[in-house]
Structure formats: C-alpha cells, structure tokens
Amino acid sequence: MTSNRPNRDEYFTKMALLVAFRATCPRRAVGCVLVNSAGHVIATGYNGVARGTPHCEGEHRCGGSDSPSGQGLNKCKAIHAEQNALLQCSDVECIDTVYVTASPCITCAKLLLNTNCKRVVFFEEYSDISAKDLWESTGREWIHFKLKE
C-alpha cells in the first residue's frame, strides 16, 4: 500500500497557497507560513494593506497596483506576506522554515535573516532574485519547490 501523505515541504507549501487566498493586493496574492523545527505552524501572513485601511480595489487602488512585479514598491501600500507573518509570530527565535508562495524580496530576506530561520521554501521565483545570494551567503537553504500535479 502506498501513502498519499505529503511530505512537510509539500504540505506547508500548499498551506501557503491557501493563506494567499486572503491577500488583498491586486498585483499578486502571496501567502506565508512560519514553521518551527517540530513542524508546527507558528504564524501565517498574506500580503495586503495595513489593518483598518481600505483594500486596494476600485477607487482605493494604490499607485503601485499597476506596476510590474518587483517595481513601484515605494508606491505600493501592501505589506508583504512575510512581514505580516513576522508580526503575528510570538517568538521569531522559534522559526525554522518559512514557506512562501513567492521567494522573498531583499527586504523580507533581511528581516528573516534576523530570526533563527534556516530554510526558505517557495514555488515561484520573485522577479528580483538578489535576496537569494544574500540568504545563501549565510549558509542557509533557499529551496525552489516544485509542487506535484
């Protein structure tokens, strides 16, 4: 008998995909799941505008909403999924792995480097890949995960 039980990377990457459904940014929906070394979820986050502000839709679209991925970030009102997950995390020293639908930008990578996170697992490469070199220069894992069909 074969098992259909997904491994941790597949399980938590799919969970990040589910979290992304809560995103409020019209450019891209990103989900993030922070996991400790025991394989327990310690926080989740998705990209969107700050709490209490109107979602970026209709007349409330921000100046970055029509910019290509990786550009116009200074005009964008969204907070990245990784940043929101970190804000929800009660102890960043417990983070072992971050599962995110798109690889972190350079700013998010810097924030994650200031935790105990050892692995970044994602399935879509962000347009600016400068974060990868910074992350890997510290000896941590940067894993482009391919989901099974």
Side-chain angles (χ1 to χ4, degrees):
M1 181 164 93
T2 60
S3 173
N4 290 329
R5 185 173 192 238
N7 65 34
R8 278 189 185 182
D9 287 349
E10 183 177 6
Y11 176 71
F12 290 119
T13 301
K14 286 182 175 180
M15 191 178 290
L17 279 169
L18 180 62
V19 172
F21 278 101
R22 294 284 300 154
T24 63
C25 180
R27 290 199 312 178
R28 172 184 288 190
V30 178
C32 178
V33 178
L34 304 179
V35 177
N36 67 16
S37 60
H40 297 147
V41 174
I42 54 177
T44 65
Y46 51 86
N47 60 323
V49 295
R51 186 181 313 170
T53 60
H55 295 309
C56 196
E57 57 191 8
E59 73 272 8
H60 298 291
R61 287 177 73 93
C62 72
S65 64
D66 294 322
S67 298
S69 178
Q71 297 178 19
L73 297 180
N74 57 336
K75 298 176 189 173
C76 182
K77 293 181 183 177
I79 299 164
H80 288 191
E82 301 94 326
Q83 295 166 349
N84 274 320
L86 287 168
L87 287 168
Q88 300 303 315
C89 186
S90 62
D91 185 358
V92 297
E93 298 303 313
C94 291
I95 301 169
D96 182 76
T97 303
V98 58
Y99 293 91
V100 65
T101 56
S103 62
C105 71
I106 190 74
T107 300
C108 289
K110 289 177 189 178
L111 290 171
L112 290 165
L113 282 170
N114 218 27
T115 73
N116 277 348
C117 185
K118 297 170 189 65
R119 302 173 69 233
V120 170
V121 180
F122 61 93
F123 73 87
E124 180 186 347
E125 190 82 61
Y126 185 62
S127 58
D128 176 6
I129 60 167
S130 59
K132 178 183 180 186
D133 291 335
L134 176 63
W135 188 266
E136 290 182 332
S137 74
T138 66
R140 302 177 194 202
E141 293 181 80
W142 185 267
I143 301 165
H144 190 169
F145 185 76
K146 306 285 189 200
L147 287 173
K148 297 174 190 172
E149 295 292 320

